[in-house]
Amino acid sequence: MGYKLKRSHGFGSETAFRRAAEEYFSSVSTEEGFSSPPTLSALKVSLGLTERDWEECEKRYPETVSLVRNVIESYLEDELIKRKTGVTGIMFSLQSNFGWKEKRDAKAAEDMEVTIKVV
């Protein structure tokens, strides 16, 4: 896949931003699902957004940003459920980008006393 570096000149409205995000998702979609994984970084490249631009979109268009994040998170969660192996990258993305955390057994984290009896 080739990337063309372009610079966004901003979006005049939330509708324009939403339309651009929908075009990105359409470009990586087929009727059967996604032809390539939708990612936040690929979306930013597709829209010509820098990190600063993305942060501005988060402030100006929080509803659309939330919907975008939901689509990507849903894709990753679905992949996590479907795959039997190769989920490390998916777990990393969910933890890094979507606030997922591994739950640890509280009992395993506590100090335990073990008595060994030799007979």
Side-chain angles (χ1 to χ4, degrees), residues 89-108:
I90 294 170
M91 290 171 53
F92 176 79
S93 182
L94 287 167
Q95 291 170 346
S96 299
N97 297 312
F98 299 97
W100 284 41
K101 295 181 175 124
E102 285 188 52
K103 291 185 180 178
R104 304 254 183 223
D105 185 359
K107 290 181 182 178

Side-chain angles (χ1 to χ4, degrees), residues 56-118:
E56 186 63 27
C57 287
E58 288 179 314
K59 291 176 190 168
R60 293 181 65 195
Y61 315 123
E63 183 177 310
T64 299
V65 167
S66 180
L67 291 171
V68 162
R69 293 175 60 77
N70 287 347
V71 169
I72 295 171
E73 183 179 16
S74 175
Y75 166 80
L76 291 169
E77 184 177 8
D78 188 52
E79 287 296 304
L80 188 61
I81 291 167
K82 288 191 310 190
R83 292 187 188 183
K84 295 187 186 322
T85 61
V87 298
T88 305
I90 294 170
M91 290 171 53
F92 176 79
S93 182
L94 287 167
Q95 291 170 346
S96 299
N97 297 312
F98 299 97
W100 284 41
K101 295 181 175 124
E102 285 188 52
K103 291 185 180 178
R104 304 254 183 223
D105 185 359
K107 290 181 182 178
E110 294 175 4
D111 291 336
M112 294 195 295
E113 185 177 313
V114 178
T115 305
I116 299 174
K117 184 176 181 181
V118 179

